[in-house]
Amino acid sequence: MYCGACCAAEDEAKSTAVVSSFPAAQDAVLPEPPAATPLPEPPEPKDKDTPQESVQNPPLAEPPEEVPPKEIETPPPVPAAEGGDFYITLDKRECGKLGLDTLFRRTPPALKVSKIKPGPVSEWNAANPDKQLLPNSLILEVNGEKTDVTKMYALIASEQQLHFRVCNKP
C-alpha cells in the first residue's frame, strides 16, 4: 500500500480511492481495482438445424482385479489399558493366597495395595520389573469386575487365576 504523493510516480496515471473505514488511517489512499474483463462467449453452432455433437467422456479404465487379503495368524488382542494402566495375571493355586494386603474405596471402586508379602505378587514383581504391583498401587479391575469392591474381593477369594488392571499413578 502506498500513501499517495511520495510513493506514486508522477509519470504513472493511476486512479485512487480514499478509504475512510479505518479511523487511524483516514487519509489512506488505495488504488482502484482494475475493471473486470468479460468472459468470452461460447462459439455458435454452424448450422442451427443440425444438432450439436455430444461430447463423450473417455472410457473409464477397468478397475484392477481384487486380490483377496492374506490371512495372517495373529495372537488374540490384549485389552488396552487406559492411560498408563497395565494388566497382570496371577495364579494362587500353589499357596492359596496372593501375598497382598489391600484397602478399598467404593467410589470409584478400587482396591489400594497397602503391603506386599511373600507369594504370587512378589514373584510377579521379581519377574516383571516394568509392571510391578507396589504399595499404593490401585487395582481397578479383577477378572473384568470394575463396578463393585465387594464383588472384586469375592473374585479374589473364589478364583485361582486372577487378572488385574493396575494403576501406579499417584
Side-chain angles (χ1 to χ4, degrees), residues 37-99:
T37 58
L39 294 175
E41 292 293 322
E44 292 286 328
K46 294 179 185 176
D47 188 5
K48 291 186 180 185
D49 295 335
T50 308
Q52 282 186 313
E53 294 179 17
S54 62
V55 178
Q56 293 182 359
N57 291 331
L60 297 175
E62 291 186 27
E65 286 186 36
E66 289 187 32
V67 177
K70 294 179 182 178
E71 291 188 31
I72 301 172
E73 291 184 29
T74 57
V78 175
E82 299 172 13
D85 299 353
F86 57 92
Y87 288 93
I88 68 171
T89 301
L90 302 169
D91 193 339
K92 63 176 190 172
R93 290 177 224 247
E94 291 182 21
C95 62
K97 295 186 177 189
L98 287 175

Side-chain angles (χ1 to χ4, degrees), residues 90 98 100-116 133-143 145-157 162-169:
L90 302 169
L98 287 175
L100 180 69
D101 286 342
T102 60
L103 304 169
F104 68 90
R105 70 174 188 207
R106 293 200 186 276
T107 307
L111 308 177
K112 184 176 182 179
V113 176
S114 59
K115 186 176 183 181
I116 305 290
L133 191 61
L134 304 168
N136 295 323
S137 293
L138 293 176
I139 300 172
L140 303 173
E141 190 174 313
V142 177
N143 289 6
E145 175 57 48
K146 58 184 176 183
T147 61
D148 187 306
V149 292
T150 306
K151 291 178 183 177
M152 293 169 133
Y153 277 130
L155 286 167
I156 290 171
L162 298 162
H163 193 64
F164 292 166
R165 186 177 79 172
V166 178
C167 177
N168 279 341
K169 290 183 186 174

Side-chain angles (χ1 to χ4, degrees), residues 2-52:
Y2 63 90
C3 63
C6 64
C7 297
E10 289 183 24
D11 58 345
E12 290 183 41
K14 290 188 177 180
S15 58
T16 57
V18 177
V19 176
S20 62
S21 62
F22 301 100
Q26 288 190 7
D27 59 346
V29 179
L30 299 177
E32 286 186 16
T37 58
L39 294 175
E41 292 293 322
E44 292 286 328
K46 294 179 185 176
D47 188 5
K48 291 186 180 185
D49 295 335
T50 308
Q52 282 186 313

